[in-house]
Amino acid sequence: MIIGTAGHIDHGKTALVKALTGVDGDRLKEEKARGITIDLGFAYLPVEGEEILGFIDVPGHERLVHTMLAGASGIDFALLVIAADDGIMPQTREHLAIIDLLGIKHGIVALTKSDLVSQQQLADLSAQVREAVAGTTIKRADIVPVSVRTGQGIDDLRAKLAASAKHVSRRSAEDRFRLAVDRVFILSGIGVVATGTVLSGSVRVEDHVLISPSGLPARVRSLHVQNRPAEIGRAGDRCALNLAGDGVTKESIHRGDVVLDPDLHAPTDRIDARLHLLPGETKPIKQRLPVRFHHGSTETGAHVVLLGNEPVLPGATVDVQLVLERPIAAAIPDRYVIRDTSAQRTMGGGYFIDLRPPKRRRGTAERQAQRAALAIVDPLTAFRNLLAAPPFAWDLAIFARDRALSATEAKHIEDVLDLVVLEAGESKVALAPDRWQLLLAEFAEHVAAYHRENPDLQGIGREKLRLMFQPPLAAAEFAAALQKIAAMGHVVLDGSFVRLATHAVHLSPGDEESWDTIQPLLAGGARFRPPRVRDIATATGHPERDIRRLLKLAGRIGWTDEIAHDHFFLRGTVLEMVGIVADLAGRSANGVFSAAQFRDRVENGRKVAIQILDFFDRHGVTVNKDDMRRINRHRLDLFGPLVQSSDQIQGRESSPVGRSDFKSE
């Protein structure tokens, strides 16, 4: 259990920690000389069993509240210290407000210097303390009179702290690893050491981690937990990590950084959050008010962007958007505190709702529903409610990352909610089962309606179909949905077109006869250098305009593609050439190939080879840079799957046989 002191300057916090543990938390020469704590101090107390109590001793001076916040964010238990001869002072109240804003639910109030006052004064002060903590997260805290000078109450306080350790629930070690850095130093013969409290997850020796927000990679060479060598550190532990790696120096890591699982690295400078403005504030918060923002051990400037039209009144709790001066590493539902820009007072705080909020349309009903769902702390309930709000789909991978959930926890959400997941790269857009059924029905209606209106066309273009949905899925997720629906047998993907499995285009008898004459000229050994419209007209005796019309019709059906003006290739040939460019790129060490290499494979001359590659460039199959091309693997199926039937390769697509719930009228 990590215990953090809190209280006014010179109320005896450091002396009390030394009396409890035997360790002097003042480690700096200036602290020794002035007799006050300037920076964070640390001490440890073994208790019965294998439990170790860790103490974070924080400064009480009003100008050092930012340092107090750096230590307070990682504690499980608050030790609020009040000198009996001085009573409740300004920093006592401010520290108590910070304890409440940070959601610290367990604590004890120690009345130090109790030997200097009478029993009646102690009773009066206890009543004042009980009134002060009422309504806060530590409203049920015990009040223990102590004296460091006489030893009165020290054993009792130590026993109460040890007993509390058995009841304070540990943070989840199932989540992904995060540690908020509050101190960095060099140990002779060891190297760079970063210390902090493990906010979530666990870390082991030899783990690879990242320093966020900089993104610097590092390796954990060794670690200490509660001031002892260990192989693993878990959520709630005070850890010292010996870090190594290229660029890892004392200067490259700072207080406010977070050492974390590499999968969690996604810094943000814009956050939707729930904000409670303290009742003691004298003015409301107006639009874009500048503040000092504190999260974990981080401090930076920020602006409070109001999501409503009215100022935030003292005592109110509302949702706001925080725009930070620099990116930070964060997770939901981390706590934060805001102070005024002069650093004289704490104004309020709360917890994070969304680490990737939109800049615009923040006040729409749709966005309000999303925020209401995201504000739910329980991940399963939050995600269920998210999928019930527009756009009824959400990226489970981003949701899990932003809450530091492990892969096991994310899979649990997927299984319990029976989600339909559309995977595209690292994205995992999820829909509830009922929404997926509605999407299938909408697919059916859109495609069937298009067939009714355009019976002579191969199908509807993928992008045109995507934009028919409101709101439309992102292109990558829509492509994943198409693949899933096609795999179910509901639709057929003909290159860049989509059709129902039951839909087929038929030529007129005259066009059918003409096609039987033209198609062989485009196939066989000449398929990579087929004749142009004029040459086909000469060979068949048909007018050029009729040949051109028929080949364009074949293009709409999906039998041909016009690579260049009046130069048509069979779709099966185009697909074969896609396979060739993919093979050329795959055989290259750096994934690029030249036009000459492609020309030599298809044996059709440089001019035609360039025209084919330009056609692929226009359709995004290849990317041209300095006359060298690389493939776009996400577009390799644009003209159909690379394994085709003989009918398709010859230019006649047979209708697939298979079950389909979609009907073409």
Side-chain angles (χ1 to χ4, degrees):
M1 184 174 77
I2 305 302
I3 301 165
T5 64
H8 197 74
I9 184 173
D10 203 28
H11 274 206
K13 296 185 293 297
T14 302
L16 180 59
V17 170
K18 184 176 181 180
L20 289 167
T21 66
V23 178
D24 188 352
D26 283 344
R27 54 186 172 81
L28 304 177
K29 290 182 180 179
E30 188 180 357
E31 293 177 331
K32 302 289 189 186
R34 295 173 61 185
I36 63 170
T37 300
I38 297 172
D39 205 344
L40 300 175
F42 306 99
Y44 300 93
L45 174 65
V47 295
E48 187 177 351
E50 304 221 343
E51 184 73 43
I52 297 178
L53 303 182
F55 289 82
I56 301 177
D57 185 24
V58 306
H61 197 284
E62 62 178 338
R63 291 197 300 270
L64 298 173
V65 172
H66 65 285
T67 305
M68 179 269 180
L69 279 160
S73 297
I75 70 174
D76 306 304
F77 193 97
L79 179 57
L80 181 61
V81 178
I82 303 173
D85 63 338
D86 215 5
I88 298 174
M89 299 295 285
Q91 260 54 66
T92 309
R93 295 190 183 279
E94 185 168 17
H95 284 201
L96 178 59
I98 289 171
I99 290 169
D100 188 51
L101 291 170
L102 294 178
I104 300 167
K105 298 179 180 179
H106 306 279
I108 286 177
V109 180
L111 303 184
T112 57
K113 307 180 185 181
S114 61
D115 58 311
L116 301 180
V117 299
S118 67
Q119 289 299 313
Q120 184 57 49
Q121 288 174 303
L122 275 178
D124 292 343
L125 179 57
S126 296
Q128 294 170 21
V129 170
R130 186 60 62 198
E131 182 181 354
V133 300
T136 72
T137 51
I138 60 167
K139 57 183 177 292
R140 295 186 178 87
D142 286 340
I143 300 173
V144 183
V146 296
S147 170
V148 171
R149 189 177 66 85
T150 67
Q152 172 195 346
I154 298 297
D155 290 340
D156 182 33
L157 177 59
R158 189 185 296 115
K160 287 182 180 295
L161 292 173
S164 296
K166 300 176 181 178
H167 303 294
V168 174
S169 58
R170 292 187 65 93
R171 307 181 192 200
S172 172
E174 298 301 317
D175 298 340
R176 293 190 184 275
F177 170 67
R178 295 190 301 142
L179 176 142
V181 177
D182 52 37
R183 188 178 170 209
V184 185
F185 53 90
I186 299 288
L187 274 182
S188 179
I190 299 295
V192 178
V193 176
T195 70
T197 301
V198 181
L199 302 177
S200 64
S202 60
V203 63
R204 297 177 181 273
V205 174
E206 296 300 329
D207 276 358
H208 289 269
V209 294
L210 278 182
I211 316 300
S212 195
S214 67
L216 179 68
R219 176 176 58 87
V220 180
R221 293 176 58 186
S222 62
L223 63 86
H224 276 58
V225 173
Q226 316 294 59
N227 213 31
R228 294 180 177 180
E231 289 295 314
I232 182 171
R234 295 182 174 84
D237 288 339
R238 280 290 305 174
C239 276
L241 305 180
N242 174 209
L243 300 175
D246 292 340
V248 175
T249 65
K250 181 185 175 185
E251 292 70 31
S252 65
I253 308 173
H254 312 89
R255 173 178 287 177
D257 287 346
V258 177
V259 184
L260 44 69
D261 182 322
D263 289 341
L264 295 184
H265 177 60
T268 178
D269 60 3
R270 183 179 296 271
I271 302 171
D272 275 0
R274 187 144 291 174
L275 169 67
H276 175 67
L277 186 62
L278 292 177
E281 282 296 288
T282 58
K283 295 180 180 179
I285 290 182
K286 296 183 179 180
Q287 190 65 271
R288 295 196 64 82
L289 178 76
V291 295
R292 297 305 296 172
F293 167 88
H294 299 265
H295 161 256
S297 53
T298 300
E299 177 190 3
T300 187
H303 287 84
V304 180
V305 177
L306 304 184
L307 301 177
N309 298 322
E310 299 298 325
V312 182
L313 299 176
T317 301
V318 297
D319 291 346
V320 298
Q321 190 167 103
L322 302 170
V323 181
L324 313 183
E325 290 182 358
R326 60 182 177 85
I328 66 167
I332 298 169
D334 284 357
R335 294 272 177 165
Y336 72 96
V337 168
I338 58 171
R339 306 188 78 226
D340 72 305
T341 52
S342 64
Q344 291 183 338
R345 71 187 192 280
T346 297
M347 300 173 63
Y351 63 96
F352 299 152
I353 292 174
D354 188 0
L355 305 184
R356 323 286 158 195
K359 295 181 181 180
R360 298 176 179 83
R361 299 180 61 81
R362 296 180 289 242
T364 64
E366 176 179 325
R367 183 58 192 160
Q368 290 174 11
Q370 292 171 3
R371 275 198 304 271
L374 289 165
I376 299 171
V377 174
D378 176 60
L380 181 66
T381 306
F383 203 72
R384 178 189 286 116
N385 287 19
L386 263 181
L387 297 185
F392 310 108
W394 206 264
D395 194 322
L396 180 57
I398 292 177
F399 179 86
R401 181 196 65 199
D402 286 351
R403 293 192 176 228
L405 303 180
S406 66
T408 301
E409 292 170 307
K411 188 64 169 62
H412 175 71
I413 293 174
E414 181 180 337
D415 292 344
V416 170
L417 300 182
D418 194 24
L419 302 178
V420 176
V421 178
L422 308 176
E423 297 193 42
E426 296 181 356
S427 173
K428 295 184 67 175
V429 173
L431 299 90
D434 58 337
R435 280 290 159 184
W436 175 247
Q437 293 303 318
L438 290 173
L439 186 68
L440 290 178
E442 197 171 352
F443 259 97
E445 178 52 35
H446 286 320
V447 179
Y450 190 84
H451 287 329
R452 289 193 296 270
E453 296 169 7
N454 305 275
D456 60 335
L457 297 184
Q458 171 190 8
I460 185 172
R462 296 189 186 195
E463 183 62 9
K464 185 173 184 177
L465 177 60
R466 184 180 77 87
L467 295 177
M468 287 181 173
F469 291 87
Q470 293 301 323
L473 286 172
E477 285 76 40
F478 183 76
L482 272 181
Q483 295 291 344
K484 185 179 286 287
I485 294 171
M488 296 168 67
H490 293 330
V491 297
V492 175
L493 307 182
D494 287 338
S496 59
F497 296 96
V498 182
R499 66 175 173 85
L500 297 182
T502 55
H503 177 73
V505 177
H506 300 285
L507 300 179
S508 67
D511 285 342
E512 183 83 21
E513 184 178 350
S514 297
W515 177 251
D516 287 341
T517 303
I518 294 171
Q519 187 272 335
L521 300 177
L522 307 179
R527 65 190 184 282
F528 296 135
R529 48 186 183 282
R532 296 176 181 269
V533 167
R534 180 182 301 174
D535 301 323
I536 296 173
T538 300
T540 61
H542 293 295
E544 282 186 36
R545 65 176 181 275
D546 291 345
I547 299 297
R548 187 177 295 111
R549 179 192 63 79
L550 182 55
L551 286 172
K552 286 185 177 294
L553 175 60
R556 293 197 297 272
I557 296 173
W559 293 353
T560 63
D561 289 290
E562 190 172 10
I563 298 294
H565 177 65
D566 275 1
H567 204 180
F568 291 83
F569 286 62
L570 290 177
R571 172 60 60 83
T573 303
V574 173
L575 183 59
E576 188 177 353
M577 293 188 296
V578 170
I580 290 171
V581 299
D583 183 62
L584 287 171
R587 292 174 182 271
S588 169
N590 56 2
V592 300
F593 64 94
S594 65
Q597 290 174 294
F598 178 71
R599 174 203 63 199
D600 293 344
R601 285 286 295 270
V602 296
E603 299 179 349
N604 60 2
R606 177 172 176 78
K607 179 180 178 180
V608 176
I610 291 293
Q611 288 177 334
I612 295 168
L613 293 176
D614 286 346
F615 172 80
F616 285 155
D617 292 342
R618 291 195 301 274
H619 287 80
V621 175
T622 54
V623 179
N624 184 6
K625 184 177 182 181
D626 300 327
D627 292 328
M628 298 297 289
R629 287 173 169 84
R630 66 176 63 249
I631 62 167
N632 177 1
R633 295 194 176 276
H634 299 296
R635 303 283 284 178
L636 289 181
D637 66 343
L638 184 64
F639 299 98
L642 292 183
V643 178
Q644 298 269 303
S645 69
S646 59
D647 282 343
Q648 288 172 308
I649 292 175
Q650 292 304 315
R652 293 182 184 274
E653 290 190 333
S654 58
S655 297
V657 177
R659 182 184 62 82
S660 174
D661 297 330
F662 289 1
K663 303 299 181 183
S664 175
E665 297 180 8

